[in-house]
Amino acid sequence: MIRKLSSSDYDVLMDFVRKEKEWNIFIIGDIVSYGFDSPVVEVWGEFDIVFGSLKAVLLRYRRDLIFYSDSEDYDIDSFCNIILTTKCKVLSGKKTVILPFLKALNVLQKREQFFMRLDTNIPKEKIETSLEEYERVKVISKDNLEENLDKIEMIVYLYQSIEEFLNPATFEQIKQDVSLGRSRIYYIEEDGIIVSSARTGAELPDMAMVLSVCTMHEYRSKGYATMCMKRLCTDLIKEGKSLCLFCDNPKAANIYRKIGFQQIGTWMTLGL
């Protein structure tokens, strides 16, 4: 049985998705930030008819969908019908869970990415930087957001210059995420412009995603992105947070491995 979930389902949903919390960080973060009654979020769950336990979840955040199940025993046809009614163009999740939708939906594009995790017990030397490098990386958080709105505009410009970023975050999206404490931005400024950056997303008390790691083309091979990453990792590990990220660039993946990230699986995104 599939039905829309509400606030009365919060505990059941969290128990279910936290069994693989890294894979479900977006689902957890969206529910914690927006709840069940926001126009930007909808959640459907399939329950076992016999035991009444939750066995699959579909979440819509704006125009994107994320699906999760801990087994292959779910009603894919009914979920496909819901997906079509949302008119969303993106469905993503753990590869093993998303694969069956390749045959069930009219898929226009498919993308696979390494899904990598950095644990809080990483050896300190992996992310150590000099004081000069640490202080060169600046941070925008909800505490200093209003005085750095011009910096966010520069970061949006940086994102738009990166060829690999097919659908970069907008000024309003970034501002909202930072203001809600879901995100903070790490950046390096040179020649009066922001040339390198990394940011967190879907921040929770115990974990966060790393997003939008990039350097302007003319300023690459200087270690700037690594500096941003090391300060980000240092700050969040001090707060007891594990970190996850997506990556489909083998060269970048090697850099992340040197910092201490390890691949735990593959994330799949379908364009509908």
Side-chain angles (χ1 to χ4, degrees), residues 67-118:
F67 182 79
Y68 173 73
S69 177
D70 60 356
S71 73
E72 297 179 1
D73 179 27
Y74 52 85
D75 186 353
I76 190 168
D77 291 334
S78 295
F79 275 115
C80 284
N81 288 335
I82 294 171
I83 289 168
L84 293 175
T85 61
T86 66
K87 298 183 179 179
C88 291
K89 299 300 181 183
V90 176
L91 172 67
S92 61
K94 190 177 183 180
K95 179 180 177 179
T96 53
V97 175
I98 297 297
L99 269 175
F101 289 96
L102 271 173
K103 295 181 179 179
L105 293 167
N106 180 26
V107 176
L108 303 178
Q109 292 178 313
K110 181 187 76 170
R111 183 184 187 187
E112 296 185 21
Q113 297 170 285
F114 304 127
F115 190 64
M116 308 182 79
R117 178 179 64 198
L118 180 73

Side-chain angles (χ1 to χ4, degrees), residues 204-219:
L204 295 165
D206 59 342
M207 59 180 172
M209 285 294 297
V210 179
L211 304 172
S212 307
V213 182
C214 62
T215 301
M216 195 171 288
H217 191 271
E218 301 90 323
Y219 294 86

Side-chain angles (χ1 to χ4, degrees), residues 91-189:
L91 172 67
S92 61
K94 190 177 183 180
K95 179 180 177 179
T96 53
V97 175
I98 297 297
L99 269 175
F101 289 96
L102 271 173
K103 295 181 179 179
L105 293 167
N106 180 26
V107 176
L108 303 178
Q109 292 178 313
K110 181 187 76 170
R111 183 184 187 187
E112 296 185 21
Q113 297 170 285
F114 304 127
F115 190 64
M116 308 182 79
R117 178 179 64 198
L118 180 73
D119 288 323
T120 54
N121 59 357
I122 187 73
K124 190 164 59 174
E125 61 268 18
K126 289 268 192 179
I127 55 174
E128 276 184 334
T129 62
S130 67
L131 180 60
E132 181 183 358
E133 289 177 333
Y134 184 86
E135 292 182 344
R136 183 161 189 201
V137 180
K138 306 303 181 185
V139 186
I140 301 172
S141 69
K142 65 179 181 180
D143 297 326
N144 64 355
L145 173 62
E146 292 302 320
E147 64 199 67
N148 283 295
L149 295 179
D150 59 327
K151 303 296 186 186
I152 293 181
E153 290 180 347
M154 294 168 68
I155 286 165
V156 170
Y157 176 79
L158 170 63
Y159 291 171
Q160 291 171 344
S161 75
I162 305 299
E163 292 180 3
E164 297 88 346
F165 289 5
L166 302 179
N167 187 28
T170 66
F171 175 88
E172 289 301 328
Q173 288 170 340
I174 295 171
K175 180 183 175 183
Q176 182 180 51
D177 281 351
V178 174
S179 68
L180 290 171
R182 287 167 51 94
S183 178
R184 65 186 101 167
I185 304 165
Y186 292 75
Y187 69 91
I188 290 175
E189 193 170 353

Side-chain angles (χ1 to χ4, degrees), residues 19 26-27 33 49 54 86 111 122 128 135 153 159 181 205 213 217 228 237 244 260-261:
K19 289 189 290 185
F26 290 121
I27 294 176
S33 296
I49 296 175
L54 191 59
T86 66
R111 183 184 187 187
I122 187 73
E128 276 184 334
E135 292 182 344
E153 290 180 347
Y159 291 171
V213 182
H217 191 271
C228 289
I237 284 176
C244 302
F261 282 86

Side-chain angles (χ1 to χ4, degrees), residues 221-239:
S221 302
K222 295 185 177 183
Y224 288 168
T226 299
M227 288 166 59
C228 289
M229 282 292 293
K230 285 186 174 183
R231 172 154 187 188
L232 183 158
C233 293
T234 297
D235 288 354
L236 272 75
I237 284 176
K238 283 180 180 176
E239 298 171 14

